[in-house]
Structures are given as structure tokens and as C-alpha cells.
Amino acid sequence: QVQLVESGGGLVQPGGSLRLSCAASGSSFSIAAMGWYRQAPGKQRDMVASISSGGSTNYADSVKGRFTISRDNAKKTWYLQMNSLKPEDTAVYYCKANTFKGSFWGKGTQVTVSS
């Protein structure tokens, strides 16, 4: 199995930036794709950004131009650079790894954007 650990969440003011990291450990299965999801109170969990092993990226419309997903396959780590943060970005952010042995989720990290 794969264990995922997020880091980098916290409290920032509107317009600020954060970088989230997700490190995978455990079984050394190849990761086909990595992603970031978020869930705000009372809302469903939605995909924010994803990146394939080949480097193709996809973003939710609400974060395009502000968020950037990247990866380091050697370290089995991926990142979400979040710029120009807005209060509506406040949510628990979860990382996800898709492998040939299944999908795995992190436990989530809180991102709060507030003045």
C-alpha cells in the first residue's frame, strides 16, 4: 500500500500564497497520476488539480491561473503552489495518488484564507 502525507497548509491572508506538498511512502508502486482535491464545509470534495506521470495537467476553472501542480517522480512527491488566494479557497485539501494497485488518499491539510 501507499501512504500519503500532506504538508504546507495553514492560515494566510487573501492574496497570499501557500505551497502544499504530498509525499508518498510505503510500497514502491509506480504512480500514474497525482492530484489535489479540496472540500469546504457543506460542499462535496472536488478536484483542484491533477498531473499525469507524463506531465499533463488539469485544473478546476476556479483555480486556473492561480494554482500550479508539479511533481518530483524520483521523490514520489507532488506540490500545489497556490497564489493569489481567496477566501473561497478555504477548505481541507487532500492529495491523491493513482497507482496500478489502486488509488490512495492523504488525510488532508487545512487551508484557511482569511483576513
Side-chain angles (χ1 to χ4, degrees), residues 90-109:
T90 296
V92 176
Y93 285 70
Y94 300 87
C95 62
K96 181 184 180 183
N98 293 331
T99 77
F100 295 106
K101 295 294 183 179
S103 297
F104 302 89
W105 292 89
K107 295 181 179 179
T109 185

Side-chain angles (χ1 to χ4, degrees), residues 24-68:
S25 62
S27 300
S28 58
F29 300 126
S30 297
I31 298 176
M34 314 86 157
W36 288 96
Y37 292 69
R38 68 185 181 187
Q39 186 170 24
K43 297 183 178 180
Q44 66 180 16
R45 186 177 300 184
D46 294 324
M47 188 183 74
V48 176
S50 64
I51 185 168
S52 71
S53 59
S56 298
T57 59
N58 187 44
Y59 297 93
D61 289 341
S62 59
V63 307
K64 287 180 179 178
R66 300 188 297 119
F67 291 10
T68 303

Side-chain angles (χ1 to χ4, degrees), residues 75-95:
K75 297 180 179 179
K76 294 186 177 181
T77 301
W78 55 106
Y79 310 92
L80 185 67
Q81 178 66 47
M82 305 184 293
N83 298 325
S84 301
L85 284 162
K86 304 175 180 179
E88 50 263 44
D89 295 320
T90 296
V92 176
Y93 285 70
Y94 300 87
C95 62

Side-chain angles (χ1 to χ4, degrees), residues 8-18 82 85-86 90 111-115:
L11 173 65
V12 297
Q13 293 186 331
S17 298
L18 284 174
M82 305 184 293
L85 284 162
K86 304 175 180 179
T90 296
V111 172
T112 302
V113 184
S114 177
S115 59

